[in-house]
Amino acid sequence: MLALRLTRAARPAVQLRRLLVATATAGTGFLLLSCLGYALDHPDSAHAATLRLVWCSVPLAATVYLALAVARTDPATRPRPGLSAAGLGPARLMAVSALTTTLSCALGSLLALLAFLHLRGDLTGLPFDGVAAGFLAAGRPFPFPAALTLLTLVPVTASVTVALSLRPRDPRRAAPGPRRFGRFGAYGEVRGRETFGAYGRFGARLGRRTAVGDTTAPGPGTEASDTGPEASGEPGPELPDQDPAPAPDSAWADGTPPPPRGAPAGLPWGITLVTAGLTVHAYAARQDLAVLGGWLLIALGLVLAAPGLTHLCGLLLQCTRPGALRLLSGRVLMSEATRIGRPLGVVCAVVSAGYAMTSLYAGSAAAFGPLATLGALLVTGCTVATLLTAAVETRQCRADTTTALLRLGAPPSMLRVAAALRAAALLALFGPLTLGVAALAALPVGR
């Protein structure tokens, strides 16, 4: 009941993002059902029907990525101490988030089925004078089991992706190197070899207690000073047997691991995959599967390379004696390189693909039918919505820092100018990159 109240009592912005997920799921489900209708209407064209179904993987991936971004920004599913006391720990909140994603996607799939049946004329007759009857197989019996199988692809994939991405993780970092096992009851690693019975020997653990409580304790070869409380005969304060406090930046507030201190390591692999995708395009000769494979390589390469490029953009902002404004903008880009860079890579891939496909099918108006236009609008809308949602997530993660800056006297206009400077720097870097990839991908077409 508490989980249902958390889902229902969300803010209007959260409900709007869930409606966007439902809308994207409806569009993807309609495209999948259209592939089924084409297969029913053309039983002898199995290759063409399979190819249409394979192309639907692009809007399917865009919809799942949007659902994951919306689930990550849902404030009702963030771990909080009060919710843990009420029985909603990290695992339960992950289940609530996956269930919310399933409900949003199921609503979209239901809308897609109703729209498809309405256009087929199964509900109230053929609308629009039967214009859509050609690719929806209006005169043939409709297989509901196959339609339900296709419609469950988006909810199941999105829910599993959200559950795997938001699963509870241990915020503590694993110790480097292989794990060593010491004697029974040992705390931490055993530095030296101990003989039998050394653990219970008198005074065996006094050295560790002194090392934890007093960092200036004398070594084994030195003598203690006579100025301490032990020299005067007074008993000193008993030191607590506890571990040192963790670092302040050991984890985010929601329990996720902190961003890497250095540059993200995916830039070389991203450049390699983009080069491989452009090579596939050079020898594709307008073959659909080769074109799709090339664009998948290019998109994956841009997603891997974009965090490193975002980190580089933040580093360039701080060059040549930066002021407070450039320093703040650059540090934010460096710390949020992974969170911002991946959606930017997807946007670059989609824009490049749109420009190259326009050049590829120049003068061929039949290639851009209603279903192709719907797929292009769906992928573009999901990509832009994912980028905006990632910006909202970044703002939520930096809420404490923004509050501290305002409390210290920073004017709100400075924060807005810093955000505009970050956007301009990213546009100056990723804009020419997108145009360059699009031009190289469309270059073999013009030869």
Side-chain angles (χ1 to χ4, degrees):
M1 183 60 68
L2 182 58
L4 181 60
R5 289 182 178 179
L6 288 175
T7 305
R8 185 187 60 183
R11 293 178 298 178
V14 179
Q15 300 291 359
L16 178 60
R17 291 195 290 266
R18 292 172 183 171
L19 287 179
L20 288 178
V21 173
T23 304
T25 306
T28 305
F30 188 84
L31 290 177
L32 293 172
L33 292 179
S34 300
C35 294
L36 177 61
Y38 181 85
L40 292 176
D41 201 26
H42 303 81
D44 298 333
S45 303
H47 177 72
T50 305
L51 188 60
R52 286 171 176 259
L53 190 61
V54 169
W55 272 104
C56 287
S57 61
V58 179
L60 174 63
T63 304
V64 172
Y65 196 40
L66 174 62
L68 176 60
V70 170
R72 290 174 61 91
T73 56
D74 194 349
T77 57
R78 290 185 176 272
R80 282 172 285 181
L83 295 180
S84 299
L88 288 177
R92 188 69 62 84
L93 289 177
M94 179 268 295
V96 171
S97 182
L99 180 59
T100 305
T101 304
T102 304
L103 292 177
S104 301
C105 295
L107 176 61
S109 298
L110 180 60
L111 293 177
L113 180 60
L114 293 177
F116 187 81
L117 294 178
H118 176 67
L119 292 178
R120 273 175 50 90
D122 295 338
L123 298 180
T124 58
L126 284 174
F128 307 111
D129 296 331
V131 176
F135 58 89
L136 299 183
R140 298 180 180 273
F142 186 66
F144 279 95
L148 294 180
T149 302
L150 291 176
L151 289 177
T152 54
L153 285 178
V154 181
V156 171
T157 307
S159 303
V160 172
T161 304
V162 169
L164 291 178
S165 179
L166 301 183
R167 67 185 186 276
R169 297 182 178 90
D170 191 357
R172 297 172 298 179
R173 295 182 179 179
R179 183 178 179 182
R180 298 182 178 89
F181 296 92
R183 50 175 164 71
F184 179 76
Y187 189 87
E189 295 184 356
V190 180
R191 299 297 178 184
R193 184 177 180 181
E194 297 180 355
T195 58
F196 179 77
Y199 180 76
R201 190 176 298 122
F202 177 76
R205 295 177 60 84
L206 290 180
R208 179 182 177 274
R209 182 182 297 270
T210 306
V212 173
D214 188 8
T215 57
T216 61
T222 59
E223 296 182 358
S225 176
D226 295 335
T227 59
E230 292 80 7
S232 60
E234 300 177 359
E238 186 176 354
L239 300 176
D241 192 4
Q242 61 183 3
D243 295 333
D249 55 349
S250 59
W252 293 104
D254 55 353
T256 56
R261 293 182 180 272
L267 184 58
W269 291 102
I271 296 175
T272 303
L273 289 177
V274 170
T275 306
L278 292 175
T279 305
V280 171
H281 267 277
Y283 297 95
R286 294 196 179 187
Q287 297 179 4
D288 291 335
L289 290 180
V291 170
L292 178 60
W295 275 118
L296 289 179
L297 288 177
I298 292 175
L300 183 58
L302 288 175
V303 170
L304 288 178
L309 294 176
T310 305
H311 189 276
L312 177 62
C313 186
L315 190 62
L316 292 177
L317 274 178
Q318 304 175 67
C319 294
T320 63
R321 302 176 64 179
L325 186 62
R326 285 197 293 142
L327 187 63
L328 177 61
S329 303
R331 287 302 177 91
V332 169
L333 285 181
M334 292 176 64
S335 62
E336 301 290 341
T338 303
R339 202 187 304 270
I340 300 176
R342 289 175 181 174
L344 276 177
V346 177
V347 170
C348 290
V350 170
V351 175
S352 301
Y355 177 80
M357 288 301 173
T358 304
S359 302
L360 180 64
Y361 294 105
S364 177
F368 292 95
L371 295 181
T373 304
L374 175 61
L377 292 177
L378 180 62
V379 173
T380 305
C382 288
T383 305
V384 175
T386 303
L387 181 60
L388 296 178
T389 307
V392 172
E393 181 185 4
T394 304
R395 184 178 179 181
Q396 290 177 355
C397 293
R398 292 187 296 105
D400 296 338
T401 304
T402 304
T403 304
L405 289 175
L406 294 176
R407 187 169 59 249
L408 290 174
S413 60
M414 178 181 177
L415 301 179
R416 291 192 292 267
V417 173
L421 182 59
R422 291 194 299 269
L426 291 175
L427 183 61
L429 180 63
F430 284 92
L433 174 65
T434 304
L435 295 179
V437 172
L440 290 176
L443 185 61
V445 182
R447 294 185 303 178

